[in-house]
Amino acid sequence: MSLGASLDEAPLSRLHARFWLLAGLGILLDGFDFFIIGVAKPLIEKDFGASDVEIGLVAAAAIVGAMIGAGLLGPLGDKIGRRRIFKYDLYLFVAFSVLCIVAWDVWSLIAFRFMLGIAIGLDYPIAASYLAEILPSRERGRLLVGAFSLQAAGILIGALVGVVLLGLLPEIGTWRLMLGFGVIPALVIIYLRRSVPESPRWLAQNGREEEARAIGERLCGHPVAIAAEDRARGTAPPDGFKALFQPALFRRGMLRRTVFTSVPWFMMDIATYGVGIFTPTLLAALALAGSDATFLADDIAATEGTAILDVFLVFGFAAAIALVDRLGRVPLQLVGFAVMALALCILATAELLEGGGDAHLGMVIAGFALFNFFMNMGPNATTFALPAEVFPSEIRAAGHGFAAASAKLGAAIGVFGFPILLEEVGTSALLFAVAGCCVVGFAVTAALRIEPRGRSLEEVASTA
């Protein structure tokens, strides 16, 4: 049996589970950083006396770095292999997390967080490509979503770290410990990843057939053969610096996949990062903080409220894991975008009603709960999985990297623009605008739909 067919039909083993965990753990760090900067942001603003623009850049710096890491450096995973990138990206994360602890002004912090973001961005396309290439097809969607759900675990760790540190050290400078805490899980992941082998599909694509066969046989439990469909099909990335740029993504046959995977993820991350990072700020504005509360009391109350609401992120991922291989990626993405838009409209309406969100706490809680649940049941899970499945193996990391970079561009727009627009246009108008982004994501998904459920990677790549 050919390598690709053997991998698609292999029984799920403990070896699969081990490689799945080691590949997916880097996404946990993204979730941690995603949450912790929202908690640390008000403290950083007070500590450095930062302006709205400067604090927006602090929040957006890691996201812009992730855009560079995923979009420009991620494609190197197609050229030099998935495993090599796994070895280096978390060393960058550790180094620049430590530097964030000792940042001496707001601009040094922005620079260090930008470099940290490059490490986070590198992990996205490599982890997704690696997992898609080793997992059995009947389990692929569930396990890809499961890997991305580790982001929620990182968010909950961030919530716990934020609440505990603020409780133990209710001081302005506590933000340094918050940002530096990510070093601990990163070092653990670096140690565990030493044993991750190269993707057998990548090895076969690059002429290393004996290695591909050996790793394939470990995963499948029986002899495999390298067939014609396992070898390169002429769309491999170019050499040298040109490997960072991927015109193949915009050729005929690839353009639909590129738009289908990048535009919804772009729109989703405007909503996810804008609302998610500023959930403590929004809760304080809508309902949880009293006008006579101290600054630190506001931040602690909003952090605790956000931590409670983030439980719905876990429930959403659990639903996605259960449903993605039953219903498919596209139906979940469509339903998720639709309910996210509705939830944001509920939040915006609560602000407009007499007494505002403070007088309509039930609407506020319901809006955030619906948003978090259906975001993770739908597009926050499926937009990560789809690029890993719809592109050919030769440009899989490039395709996923471009989609992830588009997402991070949306995230940067949301994070940088949110505090400014919140001040300029108000909470309700901003939430209605973000709901509009969800509607655009719904429309593009519906128009260009490509459903990989129950299909081999080779079949999706050749016929979608």
Side-chain angles (χ1 to χ4, degrees):
M1 188 181 292
S2 70
L3 173 67
S6 297
L7 291 169
D8 281 335
E9 297 177 18
L12 194 63
S13 66
R14 294 179 67 179
L15 197 59
H16 283 103
R18 178 186 169 199
F19 294 164
W20 170 86
L21 181 63
L22 295 180
L25 277 174
I27 300 167
L28 179 145
L29 293 178
D30 179 52
F32 172 84
D33 194 72
F34 168 86
F35 185 94
I36 206 67
I37 190 61
V39 181
K41 178 182 68 68
L43 305 177
I44 295 168
E45 186 174 11
K46 283 281 185 180
D47 196 9
F48 288 138
S51 66
D52 286 345
V53 171
E54 288 170 340
I55 205 63
L57 288 172
V58 168
I63 297 169
V64 175
M67 181 174 66
I68 302 299
L72 292 185
L73 300 182
L76 290 176
D78 290 325
K79 193 66 191 175
I80 67 174
R82 309 347 182 178
R83 187 172 184 268
R84 285 189 187 179
I85 304 296
F86 273 151
K87 289 175 63 177
Y88 302 130
D89 58 358
L90 293 187
Y91 287 114
L92 284 175
F93 184 94
V94 168
F96 288 100
S97 290
V98 171
L99 287 171
C100 285
I101 299 174
V102 299
W104 52 90
D105 60 19
V106 70
W107 293 105
S108 63
L109 181 61
I110 290 168
F112 296 149
R113 284 194 54 78
F114 171 80
M115 295 301 298
L116 179 146
I118 289 177
I120 292 174
L122 268 171
D123 223 66
Y124 264 72
I126 306 307
S129 299
Y130 183 85
L131 290 173
E133 289 170 356
I134 68 165
L135 293 172
S137 59
R138 65 186 173 280
E139 307 281 357
R140 192 175 60 235
R142 181 171 68 89
L143 291 175
L144 276 170
V145 170
F148 193 65
S149 72
L150 293 173
Q151 184 190 65
I155 288 172
L156 289 176
I157 291 171
L160 180 63
V161 169
V163 169
V164 170
L165 287 178
L166 281 172
L168 293 175
L169 297 168
E171 301 172 4
I172 299 297
T174 301
W175 66 264
R176 296 180 184 274
L177 295 177
M178 292 179 183
L179 298 189
F181 187 88
V183 170
I184 297 172
L187 288 172
V188 173
I189 297 166
I190 287 171
Y191 177 79
L192 294 175
R193 275 188 176 176
R194 294 173 307 156
S195 60
V196 174
E198 185 55 83
S199 160
R201 276 187 163 105
W202 184 86
L203 290 169
Q205 291 282 335
N206 287 271
R208 295 162 63 177
E209 296 188 3
E210 287 302 316
E211 295 173 76
R213 188 180 296 111
I215 296 171
E217 289 174 358
R218 286 178 64 195
L219 287 165
C220 300
H222 61 75
V224 301
I226 308 300
E229 62 266 26
D230 297 319
R231 300 185 176 96
R233 292 185 289 274
T235 55
D239 291 323
F241 186 74
K242 291 181 181 179
L244 303 181
F245 302 95
Q246 295 297 321
L249 299 181
F250 299 94
R251 292 176 187 161
R252 185 174 181 144
M254 291 297 111
L255 182 59
R256 176 188 174 194
R257 302 167 201 264
T258 303
V259 175
F260 170 68
T261 55
S262 60
V263 173
W265 205 353
F266 170 80
M267 294 297 172
M268 196 276 301
D269 266 21
I270 290 178
T272 299
Y273 279 75
V275 174
I277 285 182
F278 291 95
T279 295
T281 303
L282 288 169
L283 280 175
L286 286 170
L288 291 184
S291 59
D292 58 344
T294 67
F295 163 75
L296 282 171
D298 278 0
D299 200 39
I300 292 170
T303 299
E304 291 172 345
T306 304
I308 293 169
L309 288 170
D310 281 345
V311 172
F312 289 94
L313 296 172
V314 178
F315 293 159
F317 273 135
I321 291 167
L323 296 173
V324 69
D325 282 319
R326 297 181 185 178
L327 301 181
R329 289 58 152 163
V330 171
L332 289 186
Q333 188 157 305
L334 290 171
V335 171
F337 271 130
V339 180
M340 285 169 65
L342 174 64
L344 291 167
C345 290
I346 290 172
L347 289 172
T349 302
E351 172 71 4
L352 292 175
L353 293 174
E354 185 176 354
D358 217 9
H360 301 89
L361 185 58
M363 290 181 68
V364 172
I365 299 302
F368 275 114
L370 284 170
F371 181 87
N372 283 355
F373 179 85
F374 281 93
M375 173 183 72
N376 277 5
M377 190 199 78
N380 198 32
T382 54
T383 52
F384 175 81
L386 283 166
E389 298 182 287
V390 304
F391 286 100
S393 182
E394 300 94 320
I395 55 170
R396 182 164 288 121
H400 199 285
F402 183 86
S406 300
K408 295 306 182 186
L409 175 61
I413 291 171
V415 169
F416 182 76
F418 223 83
I420 298 171
L421 291 174
L422 197 62
E423 185 72 25
E424 293 293 326
V425 304
T427 304
S428 59
L430 180 55
L431 291 171
F432 279 127
V434 178
C437 294
C438 296
V439 172
V440 174
F442 178 96
V444 173
T445 301
L448 300 178
R449 56 193 304 152
I450 301 171
E451 180 54 68
R453 180 172 69 97
R455 304 165 70 189
S456 71
L457 293 179
E458 288 75 19
E459 180 187 357
V460 175
S462 61
T463 65

